[in-house]
Amino acid sequence: MNSKLLKIGAIGTLVGVTAFTGMHYFGCGSKPIKPFTPIEDEIKKPKTPQKVGIIGSGNWGSAIAKIVGANALKNPDFFVEEVKQYVYEEEFEGRKLTEIINEDHMNKKYLPGIELPENIVADPDLISTVKDADLLIFVLPHQFVPRILGTIKGKLKKGVRAITLIKGVNFIDNKLVLISELIEKELECEVCSLMGANVANEVAQEQYCETSIGYKNVETGVLFWKLFNTENFEVRIVNDVKGPEICGALKNVVAIGAGFCDGVEEYGGNTKAAIMRVGLMEMKQFAQMYYPSVQTETFFESCGVGDLITTCFGGRNRKCAEAFVRTKKSWEEIEKDLLKGQKLQGTGTAIEVYEILKNDNVIDKFPLFKTIYKIVQGKLDPEDIVRYDQLD
Ligand SMILES: NC(=O)c1ccc[n+]([C@@H]2O[C@H](COP(=O)([O-])OP(=O)(O)OC[C@H]3O[C@@H](n4cnc5c(N)ncnc54)[C@H](O)[C@@H]3O)[C@@H](O)[C@H]2O)c1
Ligand SMILES: O=P(O)(O)OC[C@H](O)CO
């Protein structure tokens, strides 16, 4: 990875956007602010150090705990040292997972081999994890979110702010509902999003990468930047919460299509590139159809094209979809065999997205999403992935 080149590019962009966002800490009217990297020395300290709570402790939850724990330790004026992490309790190798994390400082089930900072405290009690938190990080498979929100509703500190790292959407009462919308409605709090080209194991190994934080109020976006940004995990912030979130969910569907492509002998890199290009177009069309405020720039950030590329080459969705073609096993068996307790998100999202589009009578405008859904359901063959525009 030529990180030097990337950094020179980032500095150039910074010089450009600093002029544009010169007033970013003072507010700048209703016009969206272009994506930018905050200037560390200009970041205002919060009145009191903020207590952080993490909800989720899977593969990504653990990788992010490593970053957040280290940044909390490094910035005592901004954050309380102890960071609690809600862990869905289970036994692993004859011990409780919370005990393993707190004694060995490693999540041996979901992120083996990576040391966690000692200020990360695993807690099997959801309420005790969140009740004193000023900043809440949601990082768990999207199917568990409604139950979690029901449990913590009404039990949080006044003024709590949240960020979602969850790549998924909900289909509730025949309507598309984003995770950020669900959190905002249930908890009545401000919500940001963090999405990017971030395969958890690579982030945890401190390989250089970028990510995007979507914010509504710039002060909150900048505070979360401080919590997540590191030398090897470079965050840019975008004045668009929903755009990154929709990209994060939909790229999982395209990744399933890319995996189908990898599983069919006759298809190679060019074929996969075609699926990715059309997938990106459908992602943008979907996002802007449902949320016209989603900005075109968002698709050129790490959360857009960056994440699409990494996920179609190195992600779990891609891997499982390839295995679906090659082994002919069920999705449940593949998830169990290949992911060892981690959760496959793209198949569920392919179904949810299809139901939303079908319900709104616009499914024919999304031929690739429709074809991926049908292959997931066994109604079309994987070879049909390239015939997305010729099928009913
Ligand atoms: N893993 C990655 O590389 C990666 C990177 C970026 C974003 N994401 C996204 O982050 C989110 C979380 O993914 P992850 O990789 O941390 O999780 P994961 O796939 O490792 O999922 C397993 C997690 O689910 C928990 N769980 C199982 N049953 C549960 C239940 N009934 N209630 C509550 N929790 C339960 C497990 O304890 C574990 O923490 C997903 O939306 C994913 O798309 C993942
Ligand atoms: O492994 P996947 O397919 O869930 O993708 C992981 C990340 O979302 C890549 O950014």
Side-chain angles (χ1 to χ4, degrees):
M1 161 61 65
N2 194 340
S3 71
K4 262 204 192 116
L5 261 186
L6 281 173
K7 277 180 186 150
I8 292 166
I11 291 165
T13 314
L14 177 59
V15 171
V17 294
T18 303
F20 183 80
T21 59
M23 57 296 207
H24 61 249
Y25 297 117
F26 315 109
C28 77
S30 58
K31 209 170 171 211
I33 301 169
K34 295 229 179 274
F36 72 102
T37 307
I39 300 161
E40 182 113 46
D41 297 343
E42 287 184 9
I43 300 176
K44 230 174 64 191
K45 284 180 195 147
K47 285 194 188 106
T48 53
Q50 303 282 284
K51 183 142 181 69
V52 181
I54 303 177
I55 304 176
S57 56
N59 190 228
W60 187 220
S62 305
I64 218 66
K66 179 180 169 188
I67 289 177
V68 165
N71 274 351
L73 270 181
K74 221 172 84 184
N75 298 292
D77 291 345
F78 282 81
F79 308 111
V80 174
E81 182 177 313
E82 182 190 82
V83 174
K84 278 202 179 169
Q85 181 176 37
Y86 166 65
V87 174
Y88 179 75
E89 191 66 285
E90 58 187 301
E91 292 254 320
F92 182 68
E93 294 178 344
R95 292 164 74 199
K96 286 187 172 158
L97 192 54
T98 47
E99 271 171 32
I100 298 178
I101 297 172
N102 289 335
E103 287 165 14
D104 303 352
H105 305 292
M106 188 179 288
N107 187 332
K108 291 187 171 164
K109 174 158 184 188
Y110 292 104
L111 193 61
I114 301 291
E115 247 180 71
L116 297 175
E118 295 194 9
N119 57 326
I120 293 292
V121 177
D123 191 340
D125 183 337
L126 180 56
I127 305 294
S128 104
T129 306
V130 300
K131 70 179 181 0
D132 299 323
D134 302 292
L135 303 174
L136 277 183
I137 301 170
F138 284 85
V139 56
L140 69 167
H142 74 284
Q143 57 269 40
F144 305 127
V145 175
R147 189 183 57 78
I148 294 278
L149 290 177
T151 310
I152 66 177
K153 187 177 174 152
K155 307 208 167 75
L156 302 173
K157 214 167 147 179
K158 201 164 168 268
V160 66
R161 288 177 277 184
I163 188 163
T164 170
L165 278 58
I166 299 168
K167 293 178 175 172
V169 292
N170 280 279
F171 182 55
I172 302 174
D173 296 334
N174 285 336
K175 242 183 105 229
L176 164 67
V177 183
L178 301 182
I179 305 287
S180 64
E181 293 177 316
L182 210 55
I183 299 172
E184 193 175 11
K185 178 165 169 274
E186 292 296 309
L187 307 184
E188 296 175 15
C189 69
E190 185 185 347
V191 187
C192 291
S193 56
L194 182 152
M195 308 280 151
N198 304 141
V199 169
N201 294 337
E202 296 178 17
V203 174
Q205 289 158 14
E206 300 181 20
Q207 294 181 20
Y208 174 80
C209 68
E210 296 180 303
T211 201
S212 318
I213 286 180
Y215 67 89
K216 194 156 140 198
N217 296 314
V218 70
E219 192 203 334
T220 309
V222 169
L223 184 64
F224 277 124
W225 180 90
K226 185 83 181 170
L227 182 60
F228 289 99
N229 187 68
T230 73
E231 205 188 342
N232 293 317
F233 189 65
E234 272 198 32
V235 183
R236 276 163 61 79
I237 70 174
V238 302
N239 190 189
D240 178 5
V241 176
K242 298 181 167 90
E245 200 182 348
I246 297 172
C247 286
L250 296 184
K251 67 85 187 168
N252 282 344
V253 179
V254 183
I256 296 282
F260 290 151
C261 220
D262 287 342
V264 176
E265 288 302 329
E266 304 86 71
Y267 302 155
N270 296 344
T271 315
K272 190 152 104 176
I275 297 304
M276 290 168 66
R277 184 192 72 79
V278 176
L280 184 61
M281 299 296 283
E282 292 194 10
M283 284 166 59
K284 184 168 176 291
Q285 183 179 232
F286 182 100
Q288 294 183 332
M289 176 183 281
Y290 285 96
Y291 297 96
S293 66
V294 166
Q295 293 171 53
T296 298
E297 280 105 331
T298 298
F299 296 90
F300 298 102
E301 294 295 315
S302 179
C303 59
V305 68
D307 199 5
L308 184 68
I309 293 169
T310 204
T311 206
C312 288
F313 286 90
R316 302 168 296 183
N317 286 288
R318 187 221 66 80
K319 181 163 90 171
C320 291
E322 180 179 8
F324 180 77
V325 180
R326 292 192 192 279
T327 66
K328 314 259 185 284
K329 286 185 184 171
S330 71
W331 290 109
E332 291 71 26
E333 280 177 285
I334 290 169
E335 183 182 64
K336 195 159 160 273
D337 292 353
L338 295 187
L339 299 191
K340 316 255 179 266
Q342 295 178 31
K343 300 286 175 204
L344 182 64
Q345 302 276 275
T347 46
T349 305
I351 295 168
E352 278 145 358
V353 164
Y354 177 85
E355 284 169 347
I356 291 161
L357 296 170
K358 181 101 179 123
N359 184 65
D360 293 342
N361 284 322
V362 288
I363 187 67
D364 290 337
K365 293 190 193 308
F366 296 85
L368 181 64
F369 287 172
K370 182 163 94 171
T371 302
I372 292 170
Y373 161 83
K374 289 197 170 178
I375 301 173
V376 165
Q377 297 280 61
K379 294 175 183 161
L380 284 176
D381 293 327
E383 291 76 9
D384 292 329
I385 189 73
V386 294
R387 285 186 279 281
Y388 57 85
D389 56 351
Q390 301 157 25
L391 298 161
D392 272 339

